[in-house]
Amino acid sequence: MTAEARPASPPLTERQEARRRRILHASAQLAGKGGFEAVQMREVAEAAGVALGTLYRYFPSKVHLLVATMQDQLQRMQGTLRKRPPAGADPADRVAETLMRAFRALQREPHLADAMVRALTFADRSVSPEVDTVSRLTTAIILDSMGLEHPTPEQLSAVRVIEHTWHSALITWLSGRASIAQVKIDIETVCRLIDLTAEDPVR
């Protein structure tokens, strides 16, 4: 089954969705203990209680699986943030607070964070739909924090730059090349782009 065909697949049944959730849980557990290398498809299948062939029907490769795991983590994060939204006085403060909360959540699971980021880095065109979903979820989390339903093109451009900076900050922290304090400074700095687009939304 090709990557292009999968988005058109019929919705999962309740039983299939439960199986998929077990697989994602097993993936996150294994990655959390040992990182990217610990996520072996056979071990994931055993931990999830599914046949190896079944696992491959859901996720054609380890990269597909780990990118889907990141989707799941972001969806959980989005739900938490909607229940307990950031309290900053302006959109830039709220986005910075949101991204740092997300960063600290990943900080608590460094092996899982590293596995998911490596999967995104290794993803080829066959994983494009899954990677696009990760990007859309990240964008939605930022827009939720800004309180925007209909952002201007300039605001969306700022959001993309913020996403790139957050992703880069995560990579540099995981590689030991940046401290949490430096990440916070970088995130707060890039979030000031939101103020610039709000001041002059139409050129």
Side-chain angles (χ1 to χ4, degrees), residues 14-63:
E14 186 175 337
R15 185 175 179 180
Q16 289 170 331
E17 181 59 34
R19 186 181 296 133
R20 183 178 186 275
R21 298 217 62 79
R22 291 202 311 273
I23 292 169
L24 291 174
H25 178 74
S27 169
Q29 290 290 308
L30 287 167
K33 291 176 182 177
F36 186 85
E37 299 302 332
V39 182
Q40 300 297 322
M41 297 297 269
R42 187 173 298 280
E43 282 76 7
V44 171
E46 290 176 359
V50 302
L52 185 58
T54 300
L55 172 58
Y56 277 109
R57 284 199 294 274
Y58 281 83
F59 303 105
S61 72
K62 179 164 80 170
V63 170

Side-chain angles (χ1 to χ4, degrees), residues 91-92 94-95 141-148 151 155 159 162 194 197:
R94 292 195 297 272
V95 172
I141 287 170
I142 293 173
L143 292 177
D144 281 351
S145 303
M146 293 171 67
L148 281 180
Q155 287 168 329
V159 169
I162 291 168
I194 295 169
T197 59

Side-chain angles (χ1 to χ4, degrees), residues 13 18 21 39 51 58 69 72 77 83 97 102 140 149 179 189 195 203:
T13 65
R21 298 217 62 79
V39 182
Y58 281 83
T69 302
D72 186 57
M77 200 176 292
K83 290 177 183 176
E97 179 186 338
E149 290 186 12
S179 65
T189 299
D195 295 331
R203 294 194 182 278

Side-chain angles (χ1 to χ4, degrees), residues 111-187:
H111 293 304
L112 174 58
D114 182 65
M116 295 187 300
V117 169
R118 286 178 67 182
L120 282 176
T121 303
F122 296 152
D124 59 22
R125 292 181 65 182
S126 72
V127 200
S128 291
E130 290 83 356
V131 173
D132 288 346
T133 299
V134 166
S135 180
R136 284 195 299 272
L137 280 166
T138 308
T139 298
I141 287 170
I142 293 173
L143 292 177
D144 281 351
S145 303
M146 293 171 67
L148 281 180
E149 290 186 12
H150 305 290
T152 65
E154 195 170 36
Q155 287 168 329
L156 282 174
S157 180
V159 169
R160 284 193 296 271
V161 175
I162 291 168
E163 286 181 39
H164 294 326
T165 302
W166 185 76
H167 186 251
S168 176
L170 182 57
I171 291 173
T172 55
W173 172 73
L174 286 168
S175 65
R177 292 182 287 120
S179 65
I180 299 297
Q182 186 59 58
V183 167
K184 188 173 187 291
I185 291 170
D186 291 350
I187 294 299

